Amino acid sequence: KAGVTQTPRYLIKTRGQQVTLSCSPISGHRSVSWYQQTPGQGLQFLFEYFSETQRNKGNFPGRFSGRQFSNSRSEMNVSTLELGDSALYLCASSPFPSSYNEQFFGPGTRLTVL
Amino acid sequence: GENVEQHPSTLSVQEGDSAVIKCTYSDSASNYFPWYKQELGKRPQLIIDIRSNVGEKKDQRIAVTLNKTAKHFSLHITETQPEDSAVYFCAAADPNDYKLSFGAGTTVTVRA
C-alpha cells in the first residue's frame, strides 16, 4: 500500500496570505489528523476528521480550518498567515479514530511565512 | 482535556546503557498510550503502544510500563545503539475523544 502523502512538501508565503495543504491517507483509512510541529513544542493537535466529519479540534484560532472528502483525502487551510504559523504540518491517517490505534504519518509540509 | 507531560526533554546515554523516558497524563479515561520515534528529518513512527488493561509490554530492546493509579507510563530502551538516537514522543488518548495528545518530546542521543 502507498503511504500517507502530503502536498506540497515546501511552501513559502507572506504574512496575510492564505494557504491550503493536502493530505492523502493510506487507502481504506477513514481517520485523518493534523498536527503542527515546531521546535520545542512537539506535536500540537489541530483537528481530526473521521468519515468526513470533524470530530475534535485543538486550541488553534479560527484561521485554521480543514475538511475531509468522501475519498478520505483531507485539506487544511490557514487564512491570514502570521509569522508564527511557520512550522512543519503533519497529517496522519488510521483506519479507526486516532485514539484507538497506530497512526501513520505523512512526510509533512514545511510552511515558511515571511 | 488530556494533558501529557514528558521528561526529560533531552537525554544523553553511552552506547550500551539504558534510557528511560517518563510521561504523566491527566485524564483518567485515557486508555491508549503509544510511543513514537522521529529520526532527524523523518516522519514519526510508532515503536510500541500499550493499553490500560496491560501493565507492561516488551518488544526486543524496548519496553513500556503503565501505572494507571499514578497516571504515568514510561519507555525503557536497553542496550542502546547509535540508531536509537532520535526524538521520542509519548501520547495518551481517551477513546471517546478522537484525539491523540502528545508529550513535548525527548531528544535521545546515544554516544559511541
Side-chain angles (χ1 to χ4, degrees):
Chain A
K1 275 185 179 179
V4 179
T5 58
Q6 291 186 245
T7 56
R9 292 293 311 280
Y10 302 91
L11 209 46
I12 299 176
K13 292 286 188 180
T14 56
R15 278 180 299 173
Q17 287 187 309
Q18 76 163 27
V19 66
T20 299
L21 313 182
S22 180
C23 173
S24 293
I26 292 171
S27 177
H29 286 194
R30 297 161 62 193
S31 167
V32 174
S33 297
W34 287 89
Y35 300 91
Q36 182 193 67
Q37 185 172 33
T38 54
Q41 292 295 315
L43 294 160
Q44 300 292 309
F45 173 77
L46 282 155
F47 23 68
E48 177 165 342
Y49 287 86
F50 186 80
S51 295
E52 300 179 64
T53 301
Q54 185 182 92
R55 304 291 179 156
N56 205 339
K57 186 172 175 13
N59 295 324
F60 280 82
R63 301 185 294 107
F64 291 81
S65 63
R67 57 179 174 168
Q68 187 179 34
F69 302 94
S70 58
N71 61 357
S72 293
R73 189 177 70 85
S74 178
E75 287 182 348
M76 189 191 110
N77 186 276
V78 187
S79 63
T80 319
L81 284 166
E82 301 178 358
L83 295 178
D85 297 333
S86 294
L88 179 67
Y89 290 88
L90 291 162
C91 75
S93 77
S94 55
F96 304 106
S98 65
S99 47
Y100 282 44
N101 56 259
E102 179 179 6
Q103 288 191 296
F104 295 84
F105 282 84
T109 294
R110 173 77 61 185
L111 173 64
T112 302
V113 182
L114 303 176
Chain B
E2 177 65 271
N3 181 45
V4 179
E5 294 192 356
Q6 183 172 347
H7 299 280
S9 57
T10 61
L11 182 59
S12 179
V13 296
Q14 190 69 35
E15 183 177 356
D17 287 350
S18 295
V20 180
I21 304 169
K22 299 181 179 180
C23 290
T24 60
Y25 62 99
S26 61
D27 186 353
S28 56
S30 290
N31 69 352
Y32 177 59
F33 307 93
W35 287 87
Y36 284 81
K37 174 184 179 183
Q38 186 176 29
E39 296 177 20
L40 190 63
K42 303 264 183 85
R43 65 192 79 183
Q45 289 191 300
L46 181 77
I47 54 170
I48 195 167
D49 57 11
I50 192 168
R51 300 184 191 273
S52 59
N53 59 342
V54 175
E56 183 176 1
K57 185 176 178 180
K58 283 184 180 180
D59 183 3
Q60 299 183 327
R61 298 185 295 106
I62 293 172
V64 57
T65 58
L66 171 65
N67 184 326
K68 277 203 63 95
T69 303
K71 289 193 276 189
H72 67 70
F73 56 113
S74 300
L75 178 72
H76 304 252
I77 307 173
T78 57
E79 299 172 18
T80 53
Q81 300 169 5
E83 54 263 36
D84 295 329
S85 295
V87 180
Y88 292 81
F89 294 97
C90 64
D94 174 344
N96 299 313
D97 216 14
Y98 284 92
K99 175 184 175 181
L100 199 55
S101 297
F102 282 89
T106 297
T107 301
V108 173
T109 303
V110 180
R111 307 186 307 271

